[in-house]
Amino acid sequence: MGENFSKLRKGNLQRHDYRKEVQQLLDVMGNSEQELTLGAKAIQLILQMAAKGSSAEVIEEKRASVTPEAKEDEEEGPQAQPEEELETSSKLVEKVEAESKPAVQEVEPVVDEPTEESKEKAKIDRTSQTLQALLSEKGDSQALDNWVQKDPKIFERLFDMVMVYKVSTRRIGFKAYNKNNKELRFRETIRNQFNSKNGDAILVSNAHTDSPRITKLIRRPAESYYPNTVTFDRGVVEVNTDKELIVKRNVSGKKLRVDGELFEYKIPAQAYNIHEGSIVRLRWYAQPRGERQNEDISLAWVYPERQEKVTTPAPKKEKGPKPQYQPTIEFDLAGKTVGIVVGRELYRDKYEAIIEAHNGKMLMVDAFYHRRAPENYFARRLSEADYVIMVQNQNKHNTSYALAKIKDQFQGFAVAKNLTGIQVEQAIYRAVKGLPAFVAG
């Protein structure tokens, strides 16, 4: 009878597993000093509750283990027990109660069990702190760019911060808005510098002044772009039969089309310093509003003309015989110009001989000579090139990045792996034939 009673009592006393509460607390705990301090106190409280539960179970088990005979003696009153048993029992109870009490009696706050909402809020707070840290870094942040490209939701979180503005492109330049709908305007020169696209994020300083400054551009994930303008770049100004200045093609011969239809844009009479042969950029809103009119298109940019320096020519040095080159591939450049982008303009004579052997002309550009806005620099230096070849092992990272962005303005573009003549000749062939720009091996 006593044994069965003891088992029954033990079965009813199920010890509570506090590990679940501790694990949940660790899942939502951040890594700031304040969060770690509060988390440590919460864990101490959970452990103290566990200790109290264990002590209570010990007392219950002690009482359950008393035999029926002892129970009857106990009911008769304390005077029926021997003094030694009373003393031992009293000491045992005092010991258990002493062990169950915490060493320091402190009033601790009650920690509620984390909910899904609290976990999500903690995650959002940690994300915001991380974004703040990455945005505060000077210069480009590769970590931030990679994070945004992998998770588009992170990109949208950027606009929760007042110093981050969303780009809205216009026919000339662009506007930008922050979370408070504060509007900033930027000219076409700034758009040239950053090549900002509709929906991009920009980090702005001095936004309260008349000259806000863009300190960082964060590209929108590629698959979520929604362009609202159409650009026709490097258009050539011509004169029509009515002696009007018009644009109907670009430097590569591509015809001007608006909404899929051929269009002839007339330069406004008030346009300044534009003449036959000028190179311009046109832009219009992508969303059509009925039949397009000339005024629906804006003259966004006029490329500056190169100023030729007038200097006294140095006496010519005596040159040896011009190198000859025997072609290894059959193709005809038919008088077209090939731009060679290579560091320090190496092997000028050799590459010129290769191009001339295929009836072409060479334009060489130093891949290492530029400081700011490399895209604009190479677009200007290579404006007369029909095909462009970049020598891979003799250029900077910014050079290859800039050329990749402007390669569509050329009839062909290719990459030569190294400086050897056959690599350059094969790259020219790929550019002329429209083959892949780079071939491994």
Side-chain angles (χ1 to χ4, degrees):
M1 178 70 177
E3 183 179 354
N4 293 335
F5 179 77
S6 177
K7 288 182 180 179
L8 180 61
R9 295 281 294 179
K10 288 180 180 180
N12 291 333
L13 292 173
Q14 296 292 329
R15 180 169 296 179
H16 183 66
D17 188 352
Y18 288 88
R19 291 177 297 175
K20 181 178 179 182
E21 283 86 346
V22 174
Q23 185 60 52
Q24 289 177 338
L25 184 60
L26 291 174
D27 288 341
V28 299
M29 190 189 304
N31 57 3
S32 67
E33 182 177 354
Q34 181 181 10
E35 288 178 294
L36 291 172
T37 301
L38 292 176
K41 290 183 177 181
I43 291 174
Q44 289 177 359
L45 179 62
I46 291 174
L47 294 177
Q48 290 174 10
M49 293 169 63
K52 290 180 179 179
S54 299
S55 300
E57 292 174 10
V58 170
I59 295 174
E60 289 293 333
E61 290 178 359
K62 290 289 184 180
R63 292 177 177 175
S65 62
V66 177
T67 61
E69 293 78 5
K71 189 77 172 179
E72 292 175 359
D73 294 339
E74 188 177 31
E75 291 174 355
E76 291 178 1
Q79 69 278 7
Q81 297 180 358
E83 292 184 2
E84 290 183 3
E85 290 181 6
L86 283 172
E87 184 177 356
T88 301
S89 175
S90 176
K91 288 181 178 179
L92 176 61
V93 172
E94 289 175 0
K95 181 179 180 181
V96 171
E97 291 178 349
E99 289 177 351
S100 66
K101 293 180 181 179
V104 179
Q105 294 292 333
E106 294 182 354
V107 178
E108 296 287 351
V110 177
V111 179
D112 295 331
E113 184 175 343
T115 63
E116 291 300 323
E117 290 78 9
S118 64
K119 290 181 182 179
E120 184 65 21
K121 183 180 183 303
K123 182 179 178 181
I124 290 173
D125 292 341
R126 288 197 299 273
T127 301
S128 297
Q129 292 172 4
T130 305
L131 287 175
Q132 289 275 14
L134 291 174
L135 287 170
S136 65
E137 292 181 357
K138 293 184 177 180
D140 293 333
S141 174
Q142 191 64 44
L144 178 57
D145 291 340
N146 292 341
W147 192 12
V148 165
Q149 293 302 321
K150 289 180 180 178
D151 188 353
K153 293 181 180 179
I154 295 299
F155 180 80
E156 296 301 331
R157 290 294 312 282
L158 287 168
F159 301 112
D160 292 340
M161 303 174 195
V162 71
M163 69 282 197
V164 177
Y165 288 71
K166 179 175 286 190
V167 170
S168 176
T169 50
R170 294 294 184 260
R171 291 186 298 180
I172 302 176
F174 64 94
K175 296 180 181 180
Y177 305 87
N178 70 353
K179 62 180 294 187
N180 297 331
N181 287 325
K182 178 179 174 60
E183 178 186 297
L184 301 177
R185 294 172 178 263
F186 296 91
R187 295 176 296 174
E188 187 73 13
T189 51
I190 304 300
R191 184 166 176 174
N192 288 343
Q193 180 181 351
F194 289 92
N195 191 29
S196 49
K197 298 180 181 179
N198 195 57
D200 281 343
I202 54 175
L203 182 66
V204 178
S205 65
N206 299 328
H208 59 287
T209 68
D210 293 333
S211 55
R213 187 168 64 91
I214 298 175
T215 59
K216 196 185 296 288
L217 170 70
I218 304 98
R219 294 288 183 196
R220 189 175 188 86
E223 66 276 6
S224 62
Y225 267 119
Y226 48 100
N228 65 338
T229 58
V230 180
T231 301
F232 185 78
D233 206 10
R234 307 192 69 80
V236 180
V237 176
E238 305 176 35
V239 178
N240 65 9
T241 55
D242 296 328
K243 306 299 182 182
E244 297 173 315
L245 295 178
I246 62 167
V247 177
K248 60 181 181 180
R249 64 179 181 86
N250 67 6
V251 294
S252 299
K254 181 180 178 181
K255 294 182 179 181
L256 172 61
R257 290 181 180 272
V258 179
D259 299 338
E261 301 292 334
L262 290 174
F263 196 93
E264 188 177 282
Y265 174 73
K266 295 180 181 180
I267 301 292
Q270 66 272 23
Y272 174 72
N273 200 25
I274 297 181
H275 52 79
E276 184 179 6
S278 294
I279 307 299
V280 300
R281 177 185 302 148
L282 307 178
R283 190 178 293 122
W284 58 92
Y285 288 115
Q287 186 65 33
R289 297 182 177 88
E291 185 178 353
R292 296 285 188 175
Q293 305 297 321
N294 201 75
E295 55 268 23
D296 293 333
I297 301 175
S298 288
L299 182 63
W301 184 253
V302 180
Y303 283 89
E305 298 181 21
R306 291 188 295 178
Q307 299 295 326
E308 300 294 339
K309 293 183 179 179
V310 180
T311 57
T312 303
K316 293 184 178 180
K317 296 181 180 180
E318 292 295 330
K319 291 185 178 181
K322 196 169 185 178
Q324 299 294 318
Y325 185 80
Q326 182 62 40
T328 62
I329 312 174
E330 290 297 329
F331 63 92
D332 186 6
L333 288 169
K336 296 293 183 66
T337 299
V338 179
I340 303 292
V341 183
V342 60
R344 296 182 292 276
E345 301 187 18
L346 295 172
Y347 302 139
R348 174 181 289 274
D349 292 341
K350 180 171 72 173
Y351 297 152
E352 189 173 26
I354 294 172
I355 293 170
E356 288 181 352
H358 291 281
N359 303 316
K361 295 179 291 185
M362 185 185 75
L363 172 64
M364 183 168 277
V365 177
D366 187 351
F368 294 159
Y369 184 76
H370 62 84
R371 297 175 184 173
R372 294 183 179 178
E375 180 184 346
N376 295 338
Y377 171 80
F378 286 111
R380 185 178 71 253
R381 289 296 307 275
L382 295 167
S383 61
E384 298 178 4
D386 298 293
Y387 306 103
V388 170
I389 307 302
M390 184 189 74
V391 180
Q392 185 181 32
N393 65 349
Q394 281 293 321
N395 76 87
K396 301 170 74 173
H397 174 72
N398 284 346
T399 302
S400 58
Y401 180 71
L403 291 177
K405 293 173 70 175
I406 65 172
K407 65 181 181 180
D408 290 340
Q409 79 180 48
F410 311 117
Q411 294 182 32
F413 174 80
V415 178
K417 287 178 57 180
N418 53 48
L419 294 161
T420 60
I422 192 168
Q423 284 284 341
V424 172
E425 184 183 26
Q426 290 175 353
I428 298 173
Y429 176 79
R430 292 197 304 274
V432 172
K433 299 297 183 181
L435 299 174
F438 180 81
V439 176

